[in-house]
Amino acid sequence: MQRIIKNGQLVDESWHLLPKDATLDGISNCDDLIVPLALWVDHSTALKARDGGLGVWLEAGEEIEEIADQLDNFQVIALNFPAFTDGRHCSTAYLLRNRYGYKGEVRAIGDVLRDQLFSYLRVGFDAFALREDKDPLDALKAFEEFSEVYQASTDQPLPLFRRRA
Amino acid sequence: MYVYDQYDQQIVEDRVKQFRDQTRRYLAGELSGEEFRPLRLQNGLYVQRFAPMLRVAVPYGLMSSAQVRMMAKIARDYDKGYAHISTRQNVQFNWPDLEDVPEILAELATVQMHAIQTSGNCIRNTTTDQFAGVAKDEIIDPRPWCEIIRQWSTFHPEFTHLPRKFKIAVNGAVGDRAAIEVHDIGLEAVQNEDGELGFRVSVGGGLGRTPIVGSFINEFLPWQHLISYLDAILRVYNRYGRRDNKYKARIKILVKALTPQVFAERVHAEWVHLKDGPTTLTEAEVARVAAHFIDPTYKVLDDQDAALAALDAEHPGFARWRQRNTFAHKKPGYVAVTLSLKPTGVAPGDVTDKQFDAIADLAERYSFAEVRNSHNQNIILADVEQAQLFSLWGELREHGFATPNVGLLTDIICCPGGDFCSLANAKSIPIAEAIQRRFDDLDYLFDIGNIDLNISGCMNACGHHHVGHIGILGVDKKGQEFYQVSLGGSSGRDASLAQILGPSFAEAEMANVIDKIIKVYVERRNEEESFLDTFRRVGVDPFKERVYAANH
Ligand code: HEM
Ligand code: SF4
């Protein structure tokens, strides 16, 4: 079982991430599922009627605006990094937390590596599914790399210049 | 200049530790080359033809004597005894060992320096006028704003993996010496009718493969909103800039695709959410930063026109140097002095360790222990007493800094080219040298007057050839190194892109070609007319005819 980082701790993964081309056929009623955006868009009523937990995941090019008024339906929103050098979802996470007031889990999936975690945490991610070949225990160190930051973001709503002693 | 407090120092020291660990993990095989690459790039570390190249950040070009001495030390202890002033006011080392870089960063941190975001697809070092704070034509000192932008952009968590690199320049003077219109964002500090401070905002300028002059999308952004507006621009770019093709990934392509007007609307729509939030700048913060840039303790002096004229008469060499390498200062009795790093036979912008030490010394004795790097790849002592100018000239001559060519044809901007750079189509430094050798007659050079001659070894345009009055671009012609010439570019307030003259030339022809171009100018010019103005009046044809004449 994959272990993921959640709120700074390693936990066993309990959610199932459905692939991009997933359909409703044979879909579990009770499992906690993270479904691709397209499945949600086409079958939201059926998905809402299930008993298990529901999350949705977005490709880097998919826009959060598309579901901004439906966020209450999701316990998890997972944002996919096709490559760690693609920073689009850093803006998505920021918007989710600050513009759309989303309080559920925002999870980084895909090419998720230790050296990006500090900034992901800052913009609003609170869960991280590291790339499978990477050691999540080692990645925990990322959160302590910087003891001070300049900008306002999700983790620290005041920029340093409003906090400087 | 800005001095770190405990917060700034902590951030830089944390970075040293972080990069030390990243390098260790790379060398231990825990990080693949592909994974390490963007990390090292964001720390200014390229891997080049012969060795890594480390680009040290010099925020908006300002260095203290202590920092200049550190450049000397690094050049001596970790490199081959020299370094290079870049066209973005930074300092580059060409030969450090990867294993040494963490140690170099630790040394830099002791003098409040770093290499953060000097490369990679992130917000780069913010640049400005090399005469900021002393220029007579300055309206607003851009340096505090550059520092505020530096802090905002340093490890901005949302914008560390942009589609492509991102460069911001700020100007606060009547003339534009910061080339703001060829930057991703150009900011011009202005005052409105009520005397309030704000910024004109240009976006989408840039050189490289697709040179574009930026578009102004906001004529007056009140200063309080600078950061929220920058956040808005960057967010639009981060989300919608192209990522499928690195040659189409700069913000200029997005602005062009959307049109500047639509881009401006998108930014505005984003900005209304951010405006008046916690990132709104406070008077206290601006005052805190600006306090680092107040005037040094200038003496009350008079201008020394008569005394200097007398020295000119006696020493023609001094007169010439003074004419080219000094710049009017806002304070009576003071003058800014440019140290030319363009003597013939030295790669433009190269400085040896001994020269760095000498510069640090001169700055202490003549100019309040500070220097500035210019994007023209020279170094400036900004606050020299006119009464000391003659003795300074003598010292500069001893150290090889007194070539009286600032702004002249031989003050060439030149990228490292094929001698160092693995992307090059052609060498660029030998072309610069051949031209410098051809134009070795100072009287003739002075008569030709102001010319920006810029050379790049490939279309990445590190040498800014598109905005040279004369631009030279290295091209590959069936495996041979050839050079394309273009005319009429400008990076000043009237920014324009150069027009290609015609088919390219072999290396051996280049000095002749430039010679012909200059001859056309000299024949065609009206009195006092500059090369650029003449070109704009007569157009490209007369130059074409001469250069490609049948006897050629
Ligand atoms: C030696 C290794 C170097 C390499 C491999 C390199 C690589 C590049 C590349 C690939 C670009 C184009 C990026 C783009 O179009 O988005 C670029 C642009 C640029 N480089 Fe370099 N460069 C090198 C050295 C330098 C040096 C020494 C300078 C300063 C003298 C410099 C100044 C610039 C500038 C100012 C640009 C930006 C042009 C623009 O605004 O688009 N580069 N460089
Ligand atoms: S212009 Fe081309 S050759 Fe010159 S430094 Fe840049 S990438 Fe290298």
Side-chain angles (χ1 to χ4, degrees), chain B residues 37-251:
Chain B
R37 185 172 177 275
L39 305 180
R40 65 168 164 75
L41 283 176
Q42 301 231 342
N43 223 329
L45 197 58
Y46 282 92
V47 173
Q48 271 318 304
R49 203 150 256 202
F50 304 110
M53 169 193 97
L54 178 67
R55 187 180 289 156
V56 173
V58 183
Y60 35 95
L62 273 187
M63 281 197 285
S64 67
S65 282
Q67 293 174 328
V68 175
R69 287 207 175 85
M70 182 55 80
M71 298 300 102
K73 180 170 194 300
I74 293 171
R76 200 162 38 235
D77 293 353
Y78 300 95
D79 207 302
K80 296 192 177 177
Y82 69 97
H84 182 81
I85 306 299
S86 88
T87 51
R88 303 202 69 257
Q89 303 183 294
N90 291 321
V91 174
Q92 257 167 227
F93 294 90
N94 284 315
W95 310 95
D97 285 331
L98 175 63
E99 290 80 352
D100 285 338
V101 171
E103 214 38 51
I104 297 176
L105 296 182
E107 299 236 29
L108 288 172
T110 65
V111 292
Q112 310 193 346
M113 292 183 91
H114 57 74
I116 297 165
Q117 289 167 214
T118 50
S119 173
N121 296 333
C122 51
I123 304 167
R124 304 288 190 83
N125 185 28
T126 298
T127 52
T128 191
D129 184 357
Q130 68 267 31
F131 297 113
V134 305
K136 255 190 170 145
D137 69 340
E138 185 166 280
I139 304 160
I140 290 145
D141 186 345
R143 295 171 299 171
W145 302 102
C146 291
E147 177 57 29
I148 285 169
I149 295 169
R150 182 190 76 80
Q151 298 192 12
W152 160 77
S153 62
T154 298
F155 302 128
H156 196 303
E158 195 179 332
F159 307 131
T160 48
H161 290 292
L162 295 169
R164 201 72 183 83
K165 61 183 171 181
F166 203 92
K167 301 173 183 181
I168 303 177
V170 188
N171 178 40
V174 173
D176 177 7
R177 289 172 290 269
I180 64 167
E181 290 179 55
V182 289
H183 282 76
D184 298 286
I185 294 180
L187 296 169
E188 181 182 2
V190 289
Q191 267 161 346
N192 68 8
E193 291 118 45
D194 300 328
E196 290 155 344
L197 178 74
F199 297 91
R200 281 182 84 213
V201 183
S202 156
V203 293
L207 301 175
R209 287 172 190 241
T210 318
I212 300 181
V213 174
S215 309
F216 283 92
I217 59 163
N218 193 329
E219 286 297 322
F220 189 80
L221 172 71
W223 63 268
Q224 295 88 338
H225 304 304
L226 178 63
I227 299 302
S228 56
Y229 199 78
L230 293 176
D231 272 327
I233 296 176
L234 267 294
R235 184 165 301 144
V236 172
Y237 172 54
N238 188 41
R239 299 189 72 195
Y240 301 108
R242 284 183 64 173
R243 290 175 187 264
D244 57 330
N245 177 341
K246 83 173 200 173
Y247 301 114
K248 299 203 174 347
R250 298 285 294 268
I251 194 175

Side-chain angles (χ1 to χ4, degrees), chain B residues 9-20:
Chain B
Q9 188 67 33
Q10 185 67 50
I11 289 170
V12 166
E13 287 179 10
D14 286 350
R15 168 54 148 200
V16 174
K17 270 190 260 155
Q18 183 195 35
F19 192 73
R20 196 187 288 282

Side-chain angles (χ1 to χ4, degrees), chain B residues 364-526:
Chain B
E364 270 164 3
R365 287 189 288 118
Y366 288 97
S367 192
F368 298 101
E370 274 182 31
V371 307
R372 292 111 183 274
N373 297 341
S374 75
H375 82 273
N376 316 69
Q377 303 178 282
N378 290 315
I379 288 183
I380 284 116
L381 299 178
D383 297 296
V384 176
E385 286 176 30
Q386 291 174 7
Q388 298 199 8
L389 203 52
F390 189 73
S391 79
L392 174 61
W393 176 62
E395 297 204 46
L396 293 180
R397 284 203 299 172
E398 279 172 39
H399 296 291
F401 298 133
T403 313
N405 64 347
V406 171
L408 296 179
L409 181 64
T410 54
D411 183 9
I412 295 170
I413 295 182
C414 179
C415 82
D419 293 302
F420 297 100
C421 174
S422 49
L423 303 177
N425 287 325
K427 290 191 272 298
S428 49
I429 294 168
I431 300 296
E433 186 175 342
I435 295 168
Q436 287 172 331
R437 293 204 186 282
R438 172 64 61 95
F439 291 88
D440 63 348
D441 177 348
L442 270 180
D443 289 327
Y444 187 42
L445 267 182
F446 270 64
D447 177 54
I448 299 165
N450 283 325
I451 291 200
D452 294 346
L453 193 154
N454 299 355
I455 311 178
S456 306
C458 78
M459 71 275 238
N460 286 317
C462 301
H464 300 185
H465 64 277
H466 305 292
V467 289
H469 303 161
I470 301 176
I472 298 176
L473 166 66
V475 292
D476 178 281
K477 210 157 135 181
K478 300 194 185 103
Q480 304 248 33
E481 299 189 0
F482 268 70
Y483 298 89
Q484 185 181 73
V485 175
S486 53
L487 299 178
S490 161
S491 64
R493 181 161 288 276
D494 52 355
S496 59
L497 300 171
Q499 261 173 276
I500 295 169
L501 191 62
S504 53
F505 306 96
E507 175 176 351
E509 292 176 274
M510 283 308 296
N512 275 334
V513 169
I514 301 302
D515 193 39
K516 285 179 189 163
I517 291 169
I518 296 300
K519 288 213 170 91
V520 174
Y521 157 62
V522 170
E523 290 161 20
R524 293 293 196 113
R525 69 181 164 188
N526 295 327

Side-chain angles (χ1 to χ4, degrees), chain A residues 63 65 85 87-88 91 94-95 99 114-115 131 134 145-147 150-151 157 161-162 164-165, chain B residues 5 7-8 14 18 21-22 25 35 151-152 154 158 161 235 238-240 270 278 280 285 288:
Chain A
E63 293 181 23
E65 283 77 1
T85 48
R88 279 179 281 184
S91 290
Y94 178 90
L95 291 171
R99 189 147 313 154
R114 164 177 164 177
D115 294 285
R131 208 174 72 193
K134 295 290 175 182
E145 273 169 357
F146 286 92
S147 42
Y150 285 117
Q151 312 75 10
F161 68 78
R162 288 182 185 270
R164 265 189 151 107
Chain B
D5 64 9
Y7 300 101
D8 305 298
D14 286 350
Q18 183 195 35
D21 188 55
Q22 289 170 342
R25 284 186 283 140
E35 287 161 9
Q151 298 192 12
W152 160 77
T154 298
E158 195 179 332
H161 290 292
R235 184 165 301 144
N238 188 41
R239 299 189 72 195
Y240 301 108
E270 182 58 41
T280 308
E285 171 64 359
R288 180 187 77 85

